[in-house]
């Protein structure tokens, strides 16, 4: 009978000791998990802040480069205008050069080789004769044998 008590007492004691150790571990270790989670959160925030800083820097640099490009374009236009004023032999040539510099299209408006046949907008379907079946009709393309 004593062996029966030992058989029941040993697993029961092991269970109680395991529960006590688990309880103590749960009380002491949760501090480690939030610290790790907090550290990961802080790392993610640092990476996000770094990314935002890179984006702002990128767009500021792009804006400055576009500004320089615009200024360079204006400098080239001014240089060409000065050259046209200084180097043109007569007033007509000077006016033509300046007009070509300041026009939006370098070659002037382009004309069509052949004018359009009608002013009607193009259709997005195949036209059909009145009272004839359309392409989606079951009888379309079939010949009557009557």
């Amino acid at each position: 009978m004593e062996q029966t008590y030992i058989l029941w007492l040993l697993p029961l004691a092991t269970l109680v000791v395991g529960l006590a150790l688990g309880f103590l571990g749960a009380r002491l270790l949760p501090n480690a998990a939030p610290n790790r989670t907090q550290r990961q959160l802080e790392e993610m925030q640092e990476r996000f802040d770094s990314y935002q800083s890179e984006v702002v820097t990128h767009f500021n640099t792009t804006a400055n480069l576009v500004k320089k490009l615009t200024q360079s374009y204006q400098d080239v236009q001014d240089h060409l205008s000065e050259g046209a004023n200084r180097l043109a032999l007569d007033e007509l040539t000077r006016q033509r050069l300046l007009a070509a510099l300041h026009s939006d299209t370098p070659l002037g408006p382009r004309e069509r080789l052949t004018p359009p046949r009608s002013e009607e907008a193009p259709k997005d379907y195949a036209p059909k004769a009145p009272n004839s079946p359309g392409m989606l009709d079951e009888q379309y393309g079939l010949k009557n044998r009557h």
Side-chain angles (χ1 to χ4, degrees):
M1 183 133 158
E2 278 185 38
Q3 283 186 338
T4 309
Y5 289 131
I6 291 176
L7 286 176
W8 283 100
L9 190 57
L10 188 60
L12 188 60
T14 306
L15 178 64
V16 169
V17 170
L19 287 174
L21 288 175
F23 181 76
L24 286 174
R27 286 288 183 196
L28 297 175
L29 292 179
N31 294 334
N35 286 338
R36 185 179 56 146
T37 305
Q38 184 65 29
R39 189 173 51 247
Q40 287 176 340
L41 180 63
E42 289 170 359
E43 288 174 6
M44 292 294 290
Q45 185 65 41
E46 287 176 17
R47 286 175 46 197
F48 180 70
D49 291 343
S50 174
Y51 173 76
Q52 281 185 323
S53 175
E54 286 182 41
V55 168
V56 168
T57 302
H58 168 76
F59 282 109
N60 284 338
T61 303
T62 302
N64 288 333
L65 291 173
V66 168
K67 186 177 178 181
K68 285 180 185 178
L69 181 66
T70 302
Q71 184 59 46
S72 295
Y73 176 78
Q74 186 62 43
D75 292 344
V76 168
Q77 284 287 79
D78 293 344
H79 174 72
L80 290 172
S81 294
E82 281 179 27
N85 283 328
R86 198 168 18 101
L87 300 174
L89 299 176
D90 61 348
E91 186 62 29
L92 180 61
T93 304
R94 182 179 301 115
Q95 293 301 321
R96 286 181 38 205
L97 285 172
L98 290 173
L101 277 175
H102 297 293
S103 71
D104 289 337
T105 56
L107 301 176
R110 293 172 49 179
E111 294 185 24
R112 289 179 176 257
L113 296 177
T114 57
R117 287 182 243 159
S118 71
E119 297 296 320
E120 184 179 348
K123 297 177 179 164
D124 61 348
Y125 58 90
K128 67 178 191 86
N131 298 327
S132 66
M135 289 181 70
L136 298 177
D137 191 277
E138 290 180 358
Q139 300 301 318
Y140 180 78
L142 298 178
K143 296 180 181 176
N144 288 336
R145 294 185 183 205
H146 291 82

mmCIF file of all heavy atoms in Angstrom, residues 42-90:
data_model
loop_
_atom_site.group_PDB
_atom_site.id
_atom_site.type_symbol
_atom_site.label_atom_id
_atom_site.label_comp_id
_atom_site.label_asym_id
_atom_site.label_seq_id
_atom_site.Cartn_x
_atom_site.Cartn_y
_atom_site.Cartn_z
ATOM 1 N N GLU A 42 11.549 49.842 -31.419
ATOM 2 C CA GLU A 42 12.437 50.995 -31.550
ATOM 3 C C GLU A 42 13.306 50.893 -32.798
ATOM 4 O O GLU A 42 13.536 51.888 -33.491
ATOM 5 C CB GLU A 42 13.314 51.125 -30.292
ATOM 6 C CG GLU A 42 12.529 51.574 -29.069
ATOM 7 C CD GLU A 42 13.330 51.470 -27.782
ATOM 8 O OE1 GLU A 42 14.500 51.020 -27.822
ATOM 9 O OE2 GLU A 42 12.775 51.836 -26.726
ATOM 10 N N GLU A 43 13.782 49.683 -33.111
ATOM 11 C CA GLU A 43 14.575 49.479 -34.330
ATOM 12 C C GLU A 43 13.741 49.777 -35.574
ATOM 13 O O GLU A 43 14.220 50.427 -36.516
ATOM 14 C CB GLU A 43 15.115 48.053 -34.392
ATOM 15 C CG GLU A 43 16.225 47.771 -33.421
ATOM 16 C CD GLU A 43 16.633 46.293 -33.408
ATOM 17 O OE1 GLU A 43 16.118 45.507 -34.247
ATOM 18 O OE2 GLU A 43 17.460 45.926 -32.566
ATOM 19 N N MET A 44 12.501 49.303 -35.573
ATOM 20 C CA MET A 44 11.610 49.570 -36.710
ATOM 21 C C MET A 44 11.346 51.078 -36.840
ATOM 22 O O MET A 44 11.325 51.610 -37.949
ATOM 23 C CB MET A 44 10.284 48.826 -36.547
ATOM 24 C CG MET A 44 10.403 47.321 -36.661
ATOM 25 S SD MET A 44 10.895 46.788 -38.292
ATOM 26 C CE MET A 44 9.442 47.152 -39.210
ATOM 27 N N GLN A 45 11.161 51.767 -35.717
ATOM 28 C CA GLN A 45 10.929 53.210 -35.749
ATOM 29 C C GLN A 45 12.161 53.927 -36.289
ATOM 30 O O GLN A 45 12.031 54.861 -37.091
ATOM 31 C CB GLN A 45 10.584 53.721 -34.340
ATOM 32 C CG GLN A 45 10.214 55.188 -34.310
ATOM 33 C CD GLN A 45 8.939 55.477 -35.076
ATOM 34 O OE1 GLN A 45 7.972 54.732 -35.006
ATOM 35 N NE2 GLN A 45 8.934 56.565 -35.827
ATOM 36 N N GLU A 46 13.349 53.495 -35.897
ATOM 37 C CA GLU A 46 14.579 54.105 -36.404
ATOM 38 C C GLU A 46 14.706 53.896 -37.913
ATOM 39 O O GLU A 46 15.084 54.814 -38.646
ATOM 40 C CB GLU A 46 15.802 53.522 -35.690
ATOM 41 C CG GLU A 46 15.961 53.991 -34.261
ATOM 42 C CD GLU A 46 17.132 53.311 -33.555
ATOM 43 O OE1 GLU A 46 18.004 52.731 -34.249
ATOM 44 O OE2 GLU A 46 17.168 53.362 -32.325
ATOM 45 N N ARG A 47 14.399 52.677 -38.374
ATOM 46 C CA ARG A 47 14.467 52.400 -39.813
ATOM 47 C C ARG A 47 13.460 53.252 -40.570
ATOM 48 O O ARG A 47 13.760 53.782 -41.650
ATOM 49 C CB ARG A 47 14.225 50.910 -40.077
ATOM 50 C CG ARG A 47 15.412 50.059 -39.678
ATOM 51 C CD ARG A 47 15.186 48.576 -39.798
ATOM 52 N NE ARG A 47 14.564 48.157 -41.040
ATOM 53 C CZ ARG A 47 13.991 46.987 -41.211
ATOM 54 N NH1 ARG A 47 13.970 46.106 -40.240
ATOM 55 N NH2 ARG A 47 13.439 46.675 -42.360
ATOM 56 N N PHE A 48 12.269 53.401 -40.010
ATOM 57 C CA PHE A 48 11.238 54.209 -40.659
ATOM 58 C C PHE A 48 11.661 55.676 -40.709
ATOM 59 O O PHE A 48 11.504 56.338 -41.735
ATOM 60 C CB PHE A 48 9.909 54.052 -39.917
ATOM 61 C CG PHE A 48 8.787 54.857 -40.508
ATOM 62 C CD1 PHE A 48 8.254 54.515 -41.742
ATOM 63 C CD2 PHE A 48 8.277 55.965 -39.844
ATOM 64 C CE1 PHE A 48 7.227 55.249 -42.305
ATOM 65 C CE2 PHE A 48 7.258 56.704 -40.398
ATOM 66 C CZ PHE A 48 6.727 56.351 -41.624
ATOM 67 N N ASP A 49 12.196 56.188 -39.601
ATOM 68 C CA ASP A 49 12.670 57.576 -39.581
ATOM 69 C C ASP A 49 13.790 57.780 -40.595
ATOM 70 O O ASP A 49 13.838 58.802 -41.291
ATOM 71 C CB ASP A 49 13.149 57.958 -38.177
ATOM 72 C CG ASP A 49 12.009 58.047 -37.177
ATOM 73 O OD1 ASP A 49 10.836 58.133 -37.605
ATOM 74 O OD2 ASP A 49 12.290 58.015 -35.953
ATOM 75 N N SER A 50 14.692 56.806 -40.694
ATOM 76 C CA SER A 50 15.788 56.887 -41.665
ATOM 77 C C SER A 50 15.233 56.901 -43.084
ATOM 78 O O SER A 50 15.688 57.682 -43.932
ATOM 79 C CB SER A 50 16.735 55.713 -41.466
ATOM 80 O OG SER A 50 17.710 55.682 -42.467
ATOM 81 N N TYR A 51 14.254 56.053 -43.354
ATOM 82 C CA TYR A 51 13.641 55.997 -44.677
ATOM 83 C C TYR A 51 12.977 57.333 -45.023
ATOM 84 O O TYR A 51 13.138 57.852 -46.120
ATOM 85 C CB TYR A 51 12.617 54.859 -44.735
ATOM 86 C CG TYR A 51 11.822 54.821 -46.004
ATOM 87 C CD1 TYR A 51 12.386 54.351 -47.187
ATOM 88 C CD2 TYR A 51 10.502 55.270 -46.036
ATOM 89 C CE1 TYR A 51 11.667 54.330 -48.361
ATOM 90 C CE2 TYR A 51 9.781 55.251 -47.205
ATOM 91 C CZ TYR A 51 10.357 54.777 -48.365
ATOM 92 O OH TYR A 51 9.633 54.766 -49.523
ATOM 93 N N GLN A 52 12.235 57.884 -44.063
ATOM 94 C CA GLN A 52 11.580 59.171 -44.307
ATOM 95 C C GLN A 52 12.612 60.247 -44.596
ATOM 96 O O GLN A 52 12.417 61.086 -45.485
ATOM 97 C CB GLN A 52 10.733 59.573 -43.100
ATOM 98 C CG GLN A 52 9.399 58.872 -43.031
ATOM 99 C CD GLN A 52 8.554 59.390 -41.885
ATOM 100 O OE1 GLN A 52 9.065 59.699 -40.809
ATOM 101 N NE2 GLN A 52 7.258 59.480 -42.098
ATOM 102 N N SER A 53 13.700 60.231 -43.871
ATOM 103 C CA SER A 53 14.759 61.209 -44.094
ATOM 104 C C SER A 53 15.355 61.055 -45.495
ATOM 105 O O SER A 53 15.617 62.051 -46.176
ATOM 106 C CB SER A 53 15.845 61.032 -43.036
ATOM 107 O OG SER A 53 16.922 61.885 -43.283
ATOM 108 N N GLU A 54 15.563 59.811 -45.925
ATOM 109 C CA GLU A 54 16.085 59.565 -47.270
ATOM 110 C C GLU A 54 15.121 60.064 -48.346
ATOM 111 O O GLU A 54 15.541 60.624 -49.359
ATOM 112 C CB GLU A 54 16.358 58.070 -47.477
ATOM 113 C CG GLU A 54 17.579 57.568 -46.765
ATOM 114 C CD GLU A 54 17.829 56.097 -47.043
ATOM 115 O OE1 GLU A 54 17.667 55.666 -48.202
ATOM 116 O OE2 GLU A 54 18.171 55.385 -46.092
ATOM 117 N N VAL A 55 13.828 59.849 -48.132
ATOM 118 C CA VAL A 55 12.823 60.305 -49.109
ATOM 119 C C VAL A 55 12.838 61.826 -49.216
ATOM 120 O O VAL A 55 12.844 62.386 -50.321
ATOM 121 C CB VAL A 55 11.415 59.786 -48.727
ATOM 122 C CG1 VAL A 55 10.331 60.475 -49.543
ATOM 123 C CG2 VAL A 55 11.339 58.283 -48.922
ATOM 124 N N VAL A 56 12.882 62.502 -48.078
ATOM 125 C CA VAL A 56 12.904 63.967 -48.084
ATOM 126 C C VAL A 56 14.168 64.464 -48.780
ATOM 127 O O VAL A 56 14.117 65.379 -49.616
ATOM 128 C CB VAL A 56 12.804 64.508 -46.638
ATOM 129 C CG1 VAL A 56 13.117 65.994 -46.582
ATOM 130 C CG2 VAL A 56 11.420 64.242 -46.075
ATOM 131 N N THR A 57 15.303 63.858 -48.466
ATOM 132 C CA THR A 57 16.565 64.243 -49.103
ATOM 133 C C THR A 57 16.503 64.020 -50.613
ATOM 134 O O THR A 57 16.942 64.867 -51.397
ATOM 135 C CB THR A 57 17.730 63.436 -48.494
ATOM 136 O OG1 THR A 57 17.779 63.677 -47.095
ATOM 137 C CG2 THR A 57 19.050 63.824 -49.118
ATOM 138 N N HIS A 58 15.946 62.881 -51.025
ATOM 139 C CA HIS A 58 15.836 62.571 -52.450
ATOM 140 C C HIS A 58 15.020 63.642 -53.173
ATOM 141 O O HIS A 58 15.432 64.150 -54.223
ATOM 142 C CB HIS A 58 15.201 61.196 -52.646
ATOM 143 C CG HIS A 58 14.793 60.912 -54.048
ATOM 144 N ND1 HIS A 58 15.693 60.582 -55.030
ATOM 145 C CD2 HIS A 58 13.576 60.923 -54.640
ATOM 146 C CE1 HIS A 58 15.050 60.408 -56.166
ATOM 147 N NE2 HIS A 58 13.759 60.600 -55.962
ATOM 148 N N PHE A 59 13.858 63.992 -52.628
ATOM 149 C CA PHE A 59 13.010 64.955 -53.314
ATOM 150 C C PHE A 59 13.601 66.368 -53.275
ATOM 151 O O PHE A 59 13.437 67.139 -54.221
ATOM 152 C CB PHE A 59 11.585 64.920 -52.761
ATOM 153 C CG PHE A 59 10.802 63.757 -53.297
ATOM 154 C CD1 PHE A 59 10.474 62.684 -52.490
ATOM 155 C CD2 PHE A 59 10.421 63.716 -54.623
ATOM 156 C CE1 PHE A 59 9.770 61.604 -52.997
ATOM 157 C CE2 PHE A 59 9.708 62.638 -55.142
ATOM 158 C CZ PHE A 59 9.396 61.587 -54.314
ATOM 159 N N ASN A 60 14.292 66.716 -52.200
ATOM 160 C CA ASN A 60 14.965 68.016 -52.168
ATOM 161 C C ASN A 60 16.066 68.092 -53.224
ATOM 162 O O ASN A 60 16.203 69.101 -53.921
ATOM 163 C CB ASN A 60 15.547 68.286 -50.780
ATOM 164 C CG ASN A 60 14.489 68.677 -49.777
ATOM 165 O OD1 ASN A 60 13.414 69.140 -50.137
ATOM 166 N ND2 ASN A 60 14.787 68.490 -48.504
ATOM 167 N N THR A 61 16.843 67.028 -53.329
ATOM 168 C CA THR A 61 17.901 66.983 -54.341
ATOM 169 C C THR A 61 17.306 67.056 -55.742
ATOM 170 O O THR A 61 17.804 67.780 -56.616
ATOM 171 C CB THR A 61 18.746 65.704 -54.186
ATOM 172 O OG1 THR A 61 19.287 65.663 -52.867
ATOM 173 C CG2 THR A 61 19.867 65.653 -55.197
ATOM 174 N N THR A 62 16.219 66.311 -55.974
ATOM 175 C CA THR A 62 15.560 66.338 -57.283
ATOM 176 C C THR A 62 15.054 67.744 -57.606
ATOM 177 O O THR A 62 15.224 68.227 -58.727
ATOM 178 C CB THR A 62 14.385 65.335 -57.309
ATOM 179 O OG1 THR A 62 14.888 64.034 -57.015
ATOM 180 C CG2 THR A 62 13.700 65.315 -58.658
ATOM 181 N N ALA A 63 14.453 68.409 -56.630
ATOM 182 C CA ALA A 63 13.948 69.770 -56.849
ATOM 183 C C ALA A 63 15.101 70.715 -57.191
ATOM 184 O O ALA A 63 14.982 71.551 -58.100
ATOM 185 C CB ALA A 63 13.197 70.261 -55.613
ATOM 186 N N ASN A 64 16.222 70.585 -56.490
ATOM 187 C CA ASN A 64 17.373 71.447 -56.786
ATOM 188 C C ASN A 64 17.931 71.177 -58.175
ATOM 189 O O ASN A 64 18.300 72.114 -58.898
ATOM 190 C CB ASN A 64 18.464 71.255 -55.733
ATOM 191 C CG ASN A 64 18.095 71.869 -54.398
ATOM 192 O OD1 ASN A 64 17.318 72.818 -54.341
ATOM 193 N ND2 ASN A 64 18.633 71.317 -53.335
ATOM 194 N N LEU A 65 17.995 69.912 -58.563
ATOM 195 C CA LEU A 65 18.505 69.572 -59.901
ATOM 196 C C LEU A 65 17.579 70.099 -61.001
ATOM 197 O O LEU A 65 18.049 70.603 -62.031
ATOM 198 C CB LEU A 65 18.700 68.059 -60.028
ATOM 199 C CG LEU A 65 19.833 67.477 -59.190
ATOM 200 C CD1 LEU A 65 19.809 65.948 -59.258
ATOM 201 C CD2 LEU A 65 21.180 68.004 -59.641
ATOM 202 N N VAL A 66 16.276 69.991 -60.786
ATOM 203 C CA VAL A 66 15.328 70.520 -61.778
ATOM 204 C C VAL A 66 15.453 72.035 -61.867
ATOM 205 O O VAL A 66 15.403 72.617 -62.956
ATOM 206 C CB VAL A 66 13.881 70.094 -61.438
ATOM 207 C CG1 VAL A 66 12.861 70.851 -62.265
ATOM 208 C CG2 VAL A 66 13.715 68.593 -61.639
ATOM 209 N N LYS A 67 15.657 72.679 -60.730
ATOM 210 C CA LYS A 67 15.837 74.133 -60.722
ATOM 211 C C LYS A 67 17.095 74.513 -61.512
ATOM 212 O O LYS A 67 17.077 75.449 -62.311
ATOM 213 C CB LYS A 67 15.944 74.619 -59.275
ATOM 214 C CG LYS A 67 16.000 76.103 -59.120
ATOM 215 C CD LYS A 67 16.029 76.471 -57.639
ATOM 216 C CE LYS A 67 16.137 77.962 -57.451
ATOM 217 N NZ LYS A 67 16.183 78.316 -56.027
ATOM 218 N N LYS A 68 18.189 73.752 -61.299
ATOM 219 C CA LYS A 68 19.428 74.014 -62.051
ATOM 220 C C LYS A 68 19.223 73.776 -63.543
ATOM 221 O O LYS A 68 19.727 74.530 -64.382
ATOM 222 C CB LYS A 68 20.557 73.107 -61.550
ATOM 223 C CG LYS A 68 21.141 73.507 -60.233
ATOM 224 C CD LYS A 68 22.246 72.530 -59.839
ATOM 225 C CE LYS A 68 22.780 72.820 -58.459
ATOM 226 N NZ LYS A 68 23.814 71.847 -58.062
ATOM 227 N N LEU A 69 18.488 72.711 -63.872
ATOM 228 C CA LEU A 69 18.214 72.407 -65.271
ATOM 229 C C LEU A 69 17.428 73.537 -65.930
ATOM 230 O O LEU A 69 17.739 73.962 -67.050
ATOM 231 C CB LEU A 69 17.447 71.089 -65.383
ATOM 232 C CG LEU A 69 17.084 70.607 -66.776
ATOM 233 C CD1 LEU A 69 18.346 70.261 -67.550
ATOM 234 C CD2 LEU A 69 16.169 69.405 -66.685
ATOM 235 N N THR A 70 16.433 74.036 -65.231
ATOM 236 C CA THR A 70 15.633 75.145 -65.756
ATOM 237 C C THR A 70 16.506 76.382 -65.952
ATOM 238 O O THR A 70 16.407 77.065 -66.979
ATOM 239 C CB THR A 70 14.474 75.455 -64.791
ATOM 240 O OG1 THR A 70 13.696 74.278 -64.625
ATOM 241 C CG2 THR A 70 13.599 76.573 -65.321
ATOM 242 N N GLN A 71 17.366 76.654 -64.994
ATOM 243 C CA GLN A 71 18.248 77.817 -65.105
ATOM 244 C C GLN A 71 19.221 77.640 -66.269
ATOM 245 O O GLN A 71 19.476 78.576 -67.020
ATOM 246 C CB GLN A 71 19.020 78.040 -63.795
ATOM 247 C CG GLN A 71 19.874 79.279 -63.804
ATOM 248 C CD GLN A 71 19.069 80.545 -64.040
ATOM 249 O OE1 GLN A 71 18.020 80.736 -63.434
ATOM 250 N NE2 GLN A 71 19.547 81.412 -64.908
ATOM 251 N N SER A 72 19.744 76.413 -66.439
ATOM 252 C CA SER A 72 20.657 76.152 -67.559
ATOM 253 C C SER A 72 19.944 76.336 -68.890
ATOM 254 O O SER A 72 20.505 76.906 -69.837
ATOM 255 C CB SER A 72 21.228 74.736 -67.470
ATOM 256 O OG SER A 72 22.036 74.602 -66.332
ATOM 257 N N TYR A 73 18.710 75.864 -68.982
ATOM 258 C CA TYR A 73 17.928 76.041 -70.194
ATOM 259 C C TYR A 73 17.731 77.529 -70.486
ATOM 260 O O TYR A 73 17.891 77.978 -71.624
ATOM 261 C CB TYR A 73 16.574 75.330 -70.055
ATOM 262 C CG TYR A 73 15.663 75.547 -71.229
ATOM 263 C CD1 TYR A 73 15.858 74.844 -72.414
ATOM 264 C CD2 TYR A 73 14.609 76.451 -71.172
ATOM 265 C CE1 TYR A 73 15.025 75.041 -73.507
ATOM 266 C CE2 TYR A 73 13.782 76.658 -72.249
ATOM 267 C CZ TYR A 73 13.991 75.952 -73.416
ATOM 268 O OH TYR A 73 13.172 76.158 -74.489
ATOM 269 N N GLN A 74 17.413 78.295 -69.445
ATOM 270 C CA GLN A 74 17.221 79.736 -69.622
ATOM 271 C C GLN A 74 18.528 80.402 -70.054
ATOM 272 O O GLN A 74 18.525 81.285 -70.917
ATOM 273 C CB GLN A 74 16.710 80.371 -68.316
ATOM 274 C CG GLN A 74 16.358 81.828 -68.456
ATOM 275 C CD GLN A 74 15.230 82.056 -69.456
ATOM 276 O OE1 GLN A 74 14.248 81.325 -69.458
ATOM 277 N NE2 GLN A 74 15.384 83.044 -70.299
ATOM 278 N N ASP A 75 19.665 79.958 -69.486
ATOM 279 C CA ASP A 75 20.961 80.513 -69.875
ATOM 280 C C ASP A 75 21.270 80.227 -71.344
ATOM 281 O O ASP A 75 21.783 81.098 -72.062
ATOM 282 C CB ASP A 75 22.077 79.953 -68.988
ATOM 283 C CG ASP A 75 21.983 80.448 -67.552
ATOM 284 O OD1 ASP A 75 21.267 81.441 -67.299
ATOM 285 O OD2 ASP A 75 22.631 79.821 -66.672
ATOM 286 N N VAL A 76 20.945 79.016 -71.798
ATOM 287 C CA VAL A 76 21.170 78.673 -73.210
ATOM 288 C C VAL A 76 20.287 79.547 -74.099
ATOM 289 O O VAL A 76 20.742 80.061 -75.134
ATOM 290 C CB VAL A 76 20.912 77.167 -73.454
ATOM 291 C CG1 VAL A 76 20.862 76.854 -74.939
ATOM 292 C CG2 VAL A 76 21.971 76.329 -72.768
ATOM 293 N N GLN A 77 19.021 79.721 -73.726
ATOM 294 C CA GLN A 77 18.115 80.573 -74.503
ATOM 295 C C GLN A 77 18.650 82.005 -74.576
ATOM 296 O O GLN A 77 18.643 82.627 -75.649
ATOM 297 C CB GLN A 77 16.715 80.583 -73.887
ATOM 298 C CG GLN A 77 15.901 79.335 -74.146
ATOM 299 C CD GLN A 77 15.434 79.263 -75.579
ATOM 300 O OE1 GLN A 77 16.177 78.899 -76.474
ATOM 301 N NE2 GLN A 77 14.178 79.611 -75.786
ATOM 302 N N ASP A 78 19.116 82.517 -73.446
ATOM 303 C CA ASP A 78 19.668 83.876 -73.434
ATOM 304 C C ASP A 78 20.908 83.975 -74.318
ATOM 305 O O ASP A 78 21.085 84.944 -75.065
ATOM 306 C CB ASP A 78 20.007 84.308 -72.005
ATOM 307 C CG ASP A 78 18.770 84.465 -71.130
ATOM 308 O OD1 ASP A 78 17.652 84.544 -71.686
ATOM 309 O OD2 ASP A 78 18.922 84.496 -69.890
ATOM 310 N N HIS A 79 21.764 82.969 -74.245
ATOM 311 C CA HIS A 79 22.980 82.960 -75.064
ATOM 312 C C HIS A 79 22.631 82.946 -76.558
ATOM 313 O O HIS A 79 23.238 83.677 -77.362
ATOM 314 C CB HIS A 79 23.839 81.748 -74.703
ATOM 315 C CG HIS A 79 25.028 81.568 -75.590
ATOM 316 N ND1 HIS A 79 26.128 82.386 -75.543
ATOM 317 C CD2 HIS A 79 25.276 80.653 -76.563
ATOM 318 C CE1 HIS A 79 27.001 81.994 -76.448
ATOM 319 N NE2 HIS A 79 26.510 80.927 -77.076
ATOM 320 N N LEU A 80 21.661 82.110 -76.935
ATOM 321 C CA LEU A 80 21.262 82.048 -78.337
ATOM 322 C C LEU A 80 20.626 83.360 -78.793
ATOM 323 O O LEU A 80 20.858 83.817 -79.924
ATOM 324 C CB LEU A 80 20.304 80.876 -78.563
ATOM 325 C CG LEU A 80 20.942 79.489 -78.459
ATOM 326 C CD1 LEU A 80 19.868 78.412 -78.517
ATOM 327 C CD2 LEU A 80 21.966 79.274 -79.551
ATOM 328 N N SER A 81 19.843 83.985 -77.926
ATOM 329 C CA SER A 81 19.236 85.269 -78.276
ATOM 330 C C SER A 81 20.311 86.336 -78.477
ATOM 331 O O SER A 81 20.248 87.123 -79.428
ATOM 332 C CB SER A 81 18.271 85.719 -77.183
ATOM 333 O OG SER A 81 17.180 84.848 -77.119
ATOM 334 N N GLU A 82 21.297 86.362 -77.587
ATOM 335 C CA GLU A 82 22.400 87.320 -77.736
ATOM 336 C C GLU A 82 23.151 87.084 -79.036
ATOM 337 O O GLU A 82 23.499 88.032 -79.756
ATOM 338 C CB GLU A 82 23.379 87.195 -76.568
ATOM 339 C CG GLU A 82 22.946 87.852 -75.298
ATOM 340 C CD GLU A 82 23.978 87.646 -74.197
ATOM 341 O OE1 GLU A 82 25.180 87.466 -74.491
ATOM 342 O OE2 GLU A 82 23.558 87.662 -73.033
ATOM 343 N N GLY A 83 23.412 85.809 -79.317
ATOM 344 C CA GLY A 83 24.109 85.468 -80.561
ATOM 345 C C GLY A 83 23.312 85.888 -81.778
ATOM 346 O O GLY A 83 23.873 86.391 -82.764
ATOM 347 N N ALA A 84 22.008 85.688 -81.746
ATOM 348 C CA ALA A 84 21.174 86.085 -82.884
ATOM 349 C C ALA A 84 21.206 87.597 -83.065
ATOM 350 O O ALA A 84 21.291 88.095 -84.186
ATOM 351 C CB ALA A 84 19.740 85.605 -82.680
ATOM 352 N N ASN A 85 21.156 88.333 -81.956
ATOM 353 C CA ASN A 85 21.206 89.801 -82.042
ATOM 354 C C ASN A 85 22.573 90.288 -82.541
ATOM 355 O O ASN A 85 22.656 91.233 -83.312
ATOM 356 C CB ASN A 85 20.911 90.435 -80.686
ATOM 357 C CG ASN A 85 19.433 90.402 -80.355
ATOM 358 O OD1 ASN A 85 18.599 90.476 -81.248
ATOM 359 N ND2 ASN A 85 19.130 90.277 -79.087
ATOM 360 N N ARG A 86 23.624 89.637 -82.090
ATOM 361 C CA ARG A 86 24.965 90.095 -82.404
ATOM 362 C C ARG A 86 25.448 89.624 -83.770
ATOM 363 O O ARG A 86 26.135 90.350 -84.480
ATOM 364 C CB ARG A 86 25.915 89.582 -81.308
ATOM 365 C CG ARG A 86 27.218 90.293 -81.229
ATOM 366 C CD ARG A 86 28.013 89.952 -79.963
ATOM 367 N NE ARG A 86 27.622 88.755 -79.272
ATOM 368 C CZ ARG A 86 28.267 87.579 -79.352
ATOM 369 N NH1 ARG A 86 29.341 87.489 -80.094
ATOM 370 N NH2 ARG A 86 27.850 86.548 -78.692
ATOM 371 N N LEU A 87 25.088 88.410 -84.164
ATOM 372 C CA LEU A 87 25.685 87.803 -85.352
ATOM 373 C C LEU A 87 24.825 87.879 -86.609
ATOM 374 O O LEU A 87 25.314 87.604 -87.698
ATOM 375 C CB LEU A 87 26.033 86.341 -85.063
ATOM 376 C CG LEU A 87 27.029 86.123 -83.908
ATOM 377 C CD1 LEU A 87 27.174 84.641 -83.625
ATOM 378 C CD2 LEU A 87 28.373 86.742 -84.218
ATOM 379 N N ALA A 88 23.538 88.184 -86.478
ATOM 380 C CA ALA A 88 22.677 88.238 -87.662
ATOM 381 C C ALA A 88 23.100 89.413 -88.547
ATOM 382 O O ALA A 88 23.392 90.509 -88.059
ATOM 383 C CB ALA A 88 21.228 88.386 -87.250
ATOM 384 N N LEU A 89 23.116 89.174 -89.849
ATOM 385 C CA LEU A 89 23.597 90.188 -90.783
ATOM 386 C C LEU A 89 22.563 91.278 -91.054
ATOM 387 O O LEU A 89 22.920 92.427 -91.247
ATOM 388 C CB LEU A 89 24.032 89.526 -92.090
ATOM 389 C CG LEU A 89 25.176 88.509 -91.954
ATOM 390 C CD1 LEU A 89 25.453 87.857 -93.286
ATOM 391 C CD2 LEU A 89 26.421 89.167 -91.397
ATOM 392 N N ASP A 90 21.290 90.908 -91.088
ATOM 393 C CA ASP A 90 20.275 91.917 -91.351
ATOM 394 C C ASP A 90 19.098 91.735 -90.390
ATOM 395 O O ASP A 90 19.008 90.740 -89.672
ATOM 396 C CB ASP A 90 19.809 91.845 -92.811
ATOM 397 C CG ASP A 90 19.187 90.514 -93.161
ATOM 398 O OD1 ASP A 90 19.310 89.577 -92.365
ATOM 399 O OD2 ASP A 90 18.577 90.413 -94.238
#
